[in-house]
């Protein structure tokens, strides 16, 4: 039997290999202030407010066409900063200290970290955490902040003006409403970013892609504590019973493939 970490890596590879070869977004952004902002936040996550203040002029200029107010910029900054904190890879981290110390983060880890940052910068903001499987973006997590009509994909540094209902109803999201921030070179993530970008531009999301939907960070963390990481699920029927969603069939297929390779 593979070591658990090997299983994590295997799942990451399985869920990402079919994405390779998709071009990355044509319009990529850079937030140069993050170089110093990361050091400030790592020294004390509470100081993300200081980091936001320092980055606000550059961020506002980069997102000027999106029409975000100060609070909207705080939300966007949370997602972009979470993206910058660690490269993509297998990780069990879910608490803020563990996420800050993690050498790598999974897609749900990035969403958790961005959610903690939103909570610190804008405590009143309500977030939605959505997971997908089987559709054009495969197994993935994203977050929505409905009060600001924002979609954040901190795995790839994407910020878009789009609601959950708009995206899942297949509405085409204009390229003018999407920004992707590049932090580091990564062939796998560049390809995946292109896949997500294209799915939004072409309205390729479907309701049948939904694996889970949580109203807030607390619900999502409770699910992780109750079920553990999905990639470690050996009692597959029990896990699927906790996810009575259209995409659970795809998850079950993925998990059975993982464990058949691990035996």
């Amino acid at each position: 039997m593979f070591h658990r970490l090997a299983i994590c890596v295997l799942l990451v590879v399985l869920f990402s290999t079919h994405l390779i070869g998709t071009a990355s977004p044509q319009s990529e952004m850079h937030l140069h202030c993050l170089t110093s902002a990361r050091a400030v936040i790592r020294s004390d996550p509470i100081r993300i407010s200081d980091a936001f203040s320092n980055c606000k002029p550059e961020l506002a200029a980069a997102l000027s066409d999106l029409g975000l107010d100060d609070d909207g910029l705080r939300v966007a900054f949370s997602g972009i900063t979470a993206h910058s904190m660690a490269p993509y890879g297998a990780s069990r981290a879910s608490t803020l200290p563990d996420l800050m110390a993690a050498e790598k983060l999974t897609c749900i880890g990035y969403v958790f970290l961005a959610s903690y940052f939103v909570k610190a910068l804008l405590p009143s903001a309500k977030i939605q955490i959505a997971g997908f499987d089987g559709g054009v973006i495969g197994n993935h997590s994203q977050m929505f902040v409905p009060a600001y009509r924002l979609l954040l994909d901190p795995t790839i540094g994407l910020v878009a003006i789009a609601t959950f209902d708009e995206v899942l109803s297949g509405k085409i999201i204009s390229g003018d409403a999407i920004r992707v921030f590049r932090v580091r070179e990564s062939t796998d993530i560049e390809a995946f970013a292109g896949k997500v970008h294209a799915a939004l531009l072409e309205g390729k999301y479907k309701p049948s892609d939904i694996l889970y939907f949580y109203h807030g960070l607390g619900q999502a963390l409770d699910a992780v504590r109750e079920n553990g990481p999905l990639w470690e699920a050996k009692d597959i029927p029990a896990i699927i019973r906790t996810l009575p969603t259209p995409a659970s069939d795809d998850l079950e297929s993925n998990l059975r493939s993982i464990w058949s390779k691990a035996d």
Side-chain angles (χ1 to χ4, degrees):
M1 184 67 69
F2 282 102
H3 187 275
R4 284 185 171 185
L5 181 58
I7 295 295
C8 297
V9 174
L10 180 60
L11 189 65
V12 169
V13 172
L14 178 68
F15 287 163
S16 63
T17 50
H18 71 287
L19 302 175
I20 304 301
T22 302
S24 59
Q26 295 298 312
S27 178
E28 293 176 330
M29 312 289 292
H30 297 268
L31 201 59
H32 300 288
C33 63
L34 282 178
T35 302
S36 58
R38 282 196 300 271
V40 169
I41 296 165
R42 286 198 186 281
S43 68
D44 181 359
I46 298 300
R47 295 187 63 196
I48 190 170
S49 294
D50 298 332
F52 171 72
S53 295
N54 291 334
C55 277
K56 183 180 173 181
E58 185 183 355
L59 179 66
L63 299 180
S64 59
D65 293 343
L66 299 190
L68 298 175
D69 62 11
D70 185 81
D71 287 349
L73 290 174
R74 289 172 183 269
V75 172
F77 183 70
S78 298
I80 299 164
T81 303
H83 168 66
S84 76
M85 298 304 288
Y88 176 73
S91 169
R92 294 175 58 92
S94 60
T95 66
L96 180 57
D98 288 347
L99 290 163
M100 294 297 295
E103 294 183 359
K104 294 183 178 181
L105 291 173
T106 60
C107 57
I108 190 64
Y110 283 113
V111 167
F112 285 159
L113 186 55
S115 299
Y116 282 117
F117 288 162
V118 170
K119 185 177 180 181
L121 287 173
L122 200 61
S124 63
K126 297 183 183 302
I127 66 170
Q128 302 165 335
I129 295 177
F132 311 95
D133 207 346
V136 295
I137 65 171
N139 183 276
H140 193 45
S141 296
Q142 296 176 328
M143 60 187 289
F144 296 82
V145 187
Y148 306 97
R149 301 189 64 247
L150 279 172
L151 160 62
L152 302 181
D153 190 331
T155 301
I156 61 173
L158 180 143
V159 177
I161 302 297
T163 67
F164 175 82
D165 287 344
E166 288 172 340
V167 171
L168 269 296
S169 65
K171 178 180 177 179
I172 291 174
I173 307 302
S174 168
D176 293 339
I178 304 171
R179 299 291 183 274
V180 179
F181 287 80
R182 177 193 290 272
V183 174
R184 63 184 62 84
E185 298 294 331
S186 174
T187 302
D188 288 1
I189 292 303
E190 285 177 10
F192 185 67
K195 196 77 171 181
V196 173
H197 191 256
L200 292 170
L201 288 174
E202 299 168 13
K204 295 294 187 180
Y205 284 67
K206 300 179 296 183
S208 57
D209 299 341
I210 286 293
L211 181 62
Y212 55 76
F213 181 93
Y214 299 118
H215 294 279
L217 177 61
Q219 282 190 2
L221 290 172
D222 286 345
V224 167
R225 282 190 286 264
E226 292 170 7
N227 296 330
L230 292 179
W231 63 78
E232 293 183 359
K234 292 185 179 181
D235 189 349
I236 297 174
I239 287 291
I240 298 306
R241 284 195 298 273
T242 70
L243 295 165
T245 56
S248 62
D249 280 349
D250 295 286
L251 175 67
E252 181 174 4
S253 176
N254 288 332
L255 290 174
R256 293 195 184 283
S257 176
I258 290 298
W259 287 109
S260 68
K261 289 179 173 62
D263 291 334

